[in-house]
């Protein structure tokens, strides 16, 4: 019997008592089987939800036409025109003000992305224009927040994409996901202990979804002592793992366990993990209990909130070793040897890893 | 509770005049009463319409947002523990406002936002987050079904949603027997899974 038939018979109550026991035992002992069953349920559930919602939508449309039909249009066109007129007038006034402010800022700034502080007046103006409370999006927040902070604080234009990354070794090399930096115009990294700094992309492996960056300013990595190493031994299912990343401005910790030694459709280059990964987690390190890096967070699948995928760390080194032999390759093959995290409490490990996990900011030209 | 139940006859006979209480609205929505749904829809539309056209939206946008709002309400009311802790109007307005702001921000233009003191607000973050996650999932499903093409998409829906038997499906799609139909369904489902569960990169998209 194919697994799908088994799933369906189980869900339809067509299995015998004995078969049910066998089925449930397999669910508990076989992570791949359990995962396939979860996905089957998710998909069938989504199919039914979707149909139900479409039927309800059509009902609402019918009610709308019946209730408001054409009458509504006549009433609201007037309202709309008034609103538009008002909007245009105010928008024009506001945009003149903003252009004035921004051009002053641009003149004062030293780089393309750098905006400097002006005055509190700007803050007030921006507050009128944008609903701050409801708007958590970086565009408005970054500008307004920066402006209200002290005089020296630099303000940057929001990145097109943000994600996570972590140090590969003491030479200023950093690992992230290739889908982050593909087609990027410039890539910066920053964290609590490192001011935003420019990097260059030295390797992209789109198949593995891995990219390696190098910090351009050599001084930055002078004092680096990367505290973690890369695991060479295979990891076991069920092992406790955790990740650190930047789904928002501050670093966020996520923990769970290793659910499978392969990714979806048996991709052996990946692990499946039971850590909910969010936008921005891509490119973050996956660490085991001893504080060894075992993978790089890659993504998740639709409909399964607490399922993530990570590229295995040994795959990264396979990819690096395929590079032509030169100094960059030698640098990249140079794994951090000192592992100073073993036996430490998780909180202590994180403190030490902290400076070596970065927020990646990617700018793309439209 | 009993006195809040809708009398279907009464509702039918005095269609335009009947006034439902909020409990009746919730109850009717839960049980799928069309009369109640229609009355509820009409009652709160203007509040949302007014808000959206006053905040750089068109009437079409208002209609879409309002319908999405009612869907969120409808799906939340279905939940076993649902309890409304504020006026229905406040709840509906709060959801509509959040959905509209979300849409405005997606268009990434600078927009005007007039804060109005008229309408009270409640925290509907949970509802909105859940709704948006669901939207992503359903959107992905729609895409996957399109990619799957015909006759697969219809076959899958006929079996899993309409619950047609394999014999009926064999007949409808012209397969020689139920076993052949089942094989076909199996292949279709495998392909659908591959599309639907494709790994999504989780980069954070700030703006276009």
């Amino acid at each position: 019997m194919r697994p799908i038939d088994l799933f369906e018979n189980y869900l339809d109550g067509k299995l015998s008592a004995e078969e049910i026991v066998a089925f449930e035992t397999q669910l508990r002992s076989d992570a791949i089987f359990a995962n396939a069953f979860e996905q089957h349920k998710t998909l069938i559930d989504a199919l039914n939800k979707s149909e139900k919602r479409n039927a309800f939508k059509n009902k609402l449309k019918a009610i709308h036409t019946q209730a408001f039909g054409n009458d509504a249009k006549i009433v609201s066109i007037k309202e709309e025109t008034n609103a538009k007129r008002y909007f245009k007038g105010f928008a024009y006034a506001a945009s003149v003000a903003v252009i004035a402010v921004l051009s002053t800022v641009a003149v004062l700034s030293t780089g393309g992305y750098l905006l400097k502080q002006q005055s509190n007046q700007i803050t007030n103006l921006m507050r009128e224009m944008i609903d701050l409370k409801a708007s958590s999006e970086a565009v408005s927040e970054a500008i307004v927040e920066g402006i209200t902070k002290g005089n020296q604080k630099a303000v940057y234009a929001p990145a097109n994409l943000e994600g996570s990354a972590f140090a590969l070794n003491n030479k200023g090399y950093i690992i992230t996901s290739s889908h982050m930096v593909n087609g990027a115009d410039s890539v910066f990294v920053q964290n609590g202990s490192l001011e935003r700094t420019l990097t260059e992309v030295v390797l992209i492996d789109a198949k593995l979804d891995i990219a390696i960056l190098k910090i351009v300013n050599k001084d930055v990595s002078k004092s680096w002592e990367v505290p973690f190493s890369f695991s060479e031994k295979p990891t076991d299912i069920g092992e406790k793992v955790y990740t650190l990343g930047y789904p928002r401005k501050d670093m966020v910790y996520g923990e769970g366990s290793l659910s499978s030694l392969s990714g979806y459709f048996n991709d052996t280059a990946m692990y499946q993990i039971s850590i909910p990964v969010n936008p921005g987690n891509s490119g973050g390190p996956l660490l085991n209990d001893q504080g060894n890096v075992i993978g790089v967070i890659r993504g998740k699948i639709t409909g399964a909130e607490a399922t993530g995928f990570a590229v295995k760390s040994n795959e990264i080194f396979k990819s690096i070793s395929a590079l032509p032999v030169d100094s960059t390759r030698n640098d990249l093959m140079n794994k951090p040897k000192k592992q100073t995290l073993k036996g430490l409490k998780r909180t202590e490990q994180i403190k030490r890893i902290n400076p070596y996990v970065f927020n990646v900011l990617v700018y793309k030209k439209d | 509770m009993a006195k809040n139940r809708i009398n279907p006859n009464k509702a039918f006979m005095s269609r335009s005049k009947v006034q439902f209480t909020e409990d009746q609205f919730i109850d009717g929505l839960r049980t799928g009463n069309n009369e109640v749904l229609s009355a509820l829809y009409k009652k709160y539309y203007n509040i949302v319409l007014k808000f959206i056209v006053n905040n750089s939206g068109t009437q079409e946008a208002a209609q879409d947002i309002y319908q999405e709002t009612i869907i969120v309400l409808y799906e939340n009311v279905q939940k076993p523990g649902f309890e409304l802790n504020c006026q229905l109007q406040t709840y509906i307005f709060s959801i509509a406002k959040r959905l509209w702001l979300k849409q405005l921000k997606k268009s990434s233009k600078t927009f005007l936002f007039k804060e109005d003191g008229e309408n009270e607000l409640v925290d509907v973050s949970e509802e909105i987050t859940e709704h948006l996650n669901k939207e992503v999932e359903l959107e992905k499903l729609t895409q996957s079904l399109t990619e799957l093409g015909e006759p697969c998409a219809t076959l899958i829906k006929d079996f899993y949603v309409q619950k047609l038997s394999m014999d009926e499906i064999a007949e409808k799609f012209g397969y020689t027997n139920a076993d052949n139909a089942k094989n076909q369904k199996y292949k279709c489902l495998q392909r659908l899974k591959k599309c639907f569960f494709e790994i999504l990169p989780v980069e954070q998209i700030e703006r276009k």
Side-chain angles (χ1 to χ4, degrees):
Chain A
M1 200 186 273
R2 291 185 287 228
I4 289 178
D5 297 327
L6 198 57
F7 298 159
E8 278 166 9
N9 288 342
Y10 177 77
L11 292 172
D12 294 342
K14 283 182 191 160
L15 294 183
S16 70
E18 256 172 55
E19 286 168 326
I20 291 174
V21 173
F23 183 82
E24 288 173 352
T25 311
Q26 193 175 357
L27 276 188
R28 279 189 300 272
S29 62
D30 182 345
I32 293 172
F33 183 75
N35 180 48
F37 180 56
E38 273 313 305
Q39 288 190 337
H40 184 79
K41 279 198 297 187
T42 304
L43 179 61
I44 305 306
D45 193 41
L47 277 167
N48 280 289
K49 272 194 284 193
S50 164
E51 284 299 302
K52 207 178 155 197
R53 184 179 277 194
N54 286 342
F56 189 70
K57 262 187 197 164
N58 289 337
K59 215 189 247 181
L60 291 182
K61 276 184 193 147
I63 291 175
H64 192 95
T65 317
Q66 180 241 323
F68 301 105
N70 298 324
D71 296 6
K73 274 203 175 120
I74 298 162
V75 175
S76 62
I77 282 168
K78 206 175 145 211
E79 262 191 271
E80 203 183 311
T81 338
N82 286 338
K84 266 195 178 158
R85 199 173 297 144
Y86 176 81
F87 172 72
K88 273 184 191 153
F90 188 54
Y92 175 69
S95 58
V96 169
V98 167
I99 289 166
V101 166
L102 290 183
S103 48
T104 322
V105 170
V107 169
L108 289 177
S109 66
T110 52
Y113 298 116
L114 188 66
L115 304 176
K116 279 221 170 105
Q117 188 267 348
Q118 267 286 298
S119 73
N120 276 328
Q121 278 173 337
I122 306 167
T123 316
N124 296 335
L125 177 64
M126 298 303 288
R127 267 189 213 286
E128 271 172 36
M129 286 190 52
I130 299 161
D131 176 24
L132 266 181
K133 243 193 301 176
S135 159
S136 61
E137 231 105 304
V139 184
S140 55
E141 241 180 16
I143 296 172
V144 177
E145 245 181 48
I147 287 165
T148 45
K149 280 178 192 165
N151 278 348
Q152 302 306 316
K153 186 76 184 174
V155 182
Y156 300 95
N160 299 91
L161 277 179
E162 286 190 37
S164 307
F166 60 101
L168 165 65
N169 57 30
N170 294 341
K171 298 193 167 182
Y173 288 96
I174 291 172
I175 300 181
T176 187
S177 296
S178 72
H179 72 256
M180 287 284 311
V181 300
N182 247 338
D185 185 34
S186 42
V187 182
F188 293 86
V189 294
Q190 66 179 25
N191 64 21
S193 36
L194 177 68
E195 277 279 317
R196 121 175 354 214
T197 184
L198 185 67
T199 67
E200 57 179 10
V201 179
V202 296
L203 180 149
I204 283 192
D205 184 331
K207 196 162 165 265
L208 271 187
D209 198 0
I210 285 295
I212 296 178
L213 313 172
K214 186 178 193 208
I215 294 182
V216 174
N217 181 353
K218 287 197 172 93
D219 293 343
V220 170
S221 55
K222 256 185 186 162
S223 56
W224 274 18
E225 275 180 49
V226 177
F228 45 76
S229 188
F230 290 78
S231 180
E232 297 187 5
K233 279 181 292 180
T235 310
D236 293 322
I237 289 187
E239 182 163 357
K240 293 268 168 273
V241 290
Y242 66 101
T243 184
L244 296 164
Y246 285 88
R248 33 193 173 89
K249 265 189 214 154
D250 293 315
M251 193 164 77
V252 174
Y253 166 80
E255 65 173 6
S257 42
L258 198 79
S259 348
S260 172
L261 295 183
S262 61
Y264 197 54
F265 287 104
N266 304 323
D267 185 346
T268 53
M270 282 194 282
Y271 290 123
Q272 186 186 319
I273 50 175
S274 66
I275 301 177
V277 289
N278 293 307
N281 270 121
S282 269
L286 180 70
L287 297 120
N288 65 11
D289 240 356
Q290 288 86 49
N292 281 315
V293 174
I294 62 166
V296 184
I297 302 294
R298 175 165 179 189
K300 64 173 176 182
I301 50 172
T302 331
E305 281 317 307
T307 306
F309 291 94
V311 182
K312 294 176 183 174
S313 55
N314 58 349
E315 295 292 330
I316 303 168
F317 288 96
K318 269 191 215 164
S319 180
I320 295 171
S321 59
L323 287 173
V325 181
D326 63 7
S327 61
T328 306
R329 181 182 180 276
N330 289 343
D331 277 354
L332 293 178
M333 288 302 282
N334 200 339
K335 292 185 205 178
K337 290 196 184 70
K338 264 199 241 159
Q339 215 289 30
T340 57
L341 299 169
K342 204 171 176 178
L344 291 180
K345 275 205 307 206
R346 184 70 58 90
T347 48
E348 197 51 44
Q349 288 184 357
I350 291 167
K351 260 183 219 160
R352 299 194 187 192
I353 295 169
N354 218 328
Y356 300 96
V357 177
F358 306 95
N359 184 190
V360 181
L361 302 122
V362 179
Y363 292 87
K364 290 182 183 182
K365 276 200 187 114
D366 282 330
Chain B
M1 204 56 202
K3 69 173 190 285
N4 288 335
R5 285 268 157 69
I6 309 125
N7 177 341
N9 289 327
K10 194 180 158 214
F12 179 70
M13 280 156 65
S14 49
R15 192 176 282 228
S16 55
K17 284 178 204 154
V18 70
Q19 295 281 323
F20 295 109
T21 65
E22 296 212 336
D23 281 347
Q24 286 173 330
F25 272 141
I26 304 282
D27 206 28
L29 208 52
R30 194 174 282 149
T31 54
N33 182 315
N34 287 336
E35 207 67 48
V36 173
L37 177 63
S38 175
L40 180 142
Y41 189 95
K42 288 172 202 164
K43 185 167 179 187
Y44 300 103
Y45 176 58
N46 279 327
I47 300 161
V48 174
L49 174 69
K50 190 178 161 206
F51 168 74
I52 289 177
V53 290
N54 279 334
N55 284 286
S56 32
T58 62
Q59 191 217 340
E60 283 72 29
Q63 190 179 328
D64 287 348
I65 292 289
Y66 184 57
Q67 288 177 0
E68 202 177 338
T69 304
I70 300 297
I71 289 173
V72 175
L73 172 70
Y74 174 72
E75 288 180 351
N76 274 285
V77 164
Q78 308 297 319
K79 289 180 187 162
F82 181 82
E83 221 178 288
L84 194 61
N85 296 320
C86 62
Q87 282 205 323
L88 189 54
Q89 179 174 324
T90 308
Y91 192 67
I92 289 176
F93 182 77
S94 305
I95 295 171
K97 182 179 169 180
R98 286 288 301 271
L99 290 176
W100 179 235
L101 277 177
K102 193 88 204 160
Q103 184 143 324
L104 276 179
K105 277 185 274 171
K106 222 168 48 186
S107 68
S108 81
K109 289 178 213 137
T110 311
F111 59 86
L112 267 180
F113 188 76
K114 285 196 280 173
E115 195 59 76
D116 63 352
E118 268 176 57
N119 292 295
E120 257 182 85
L121 288 172
V122 280
D123 182 14
V124 286
S125 318
E126 246 175 67
E127 282 90 340
I128 298 291
T129 311
E130 192 191 322
H131 174 71
L132 295 175
N133 281 340
K134 217 171 179 182
E135 282 292 292
V136 172
E137 186 180 318
L138 293 182
E139 178 55 31
K140 180 81 186 166
L141 180 67
T142 311
Q143 272 175 21
S144 307
L145 283 169
T146 311
E147 209 171 307
L148 190 62
E150 295 298 349
C152 263
T154 307
L155 197 159
I156 291 285
K157 280 193 248 174
D158 278 350
F159 183 76
Y160 288 104
V161 182
Q162 312 301 334
K163 313 273 182 220
L164 295 190
S165 72
M166 274 306 159
D167 286 317
E168 287 166 308
I169 288 176
E171 164 106 33
K172 182 175 169 183
F173 291 86
Y175 297 114
T176 44
N177 57 43
D179 272 346
N180 276 341
K182 197 174 171 182
N183 264 327
Q184 197 55 41
K185 184 215 77 178
Y186 176 79
K187 283 181 197 158
C188 293
L189 188 69
Q190 288 298 82
R191 277 178 49 213
L192 180 63
K193 279 186 181 169
K194 205 155 187 165
C195 297
F196 184 67
F197 291 109
E198 171 195 48
I199 293 176
L200 301 174
V202 286
E203 72 267 33
Q204 191 163 1
I205 298 161
E206 288 287 346
R207 69 190 167 124
K208 254 207 150 160

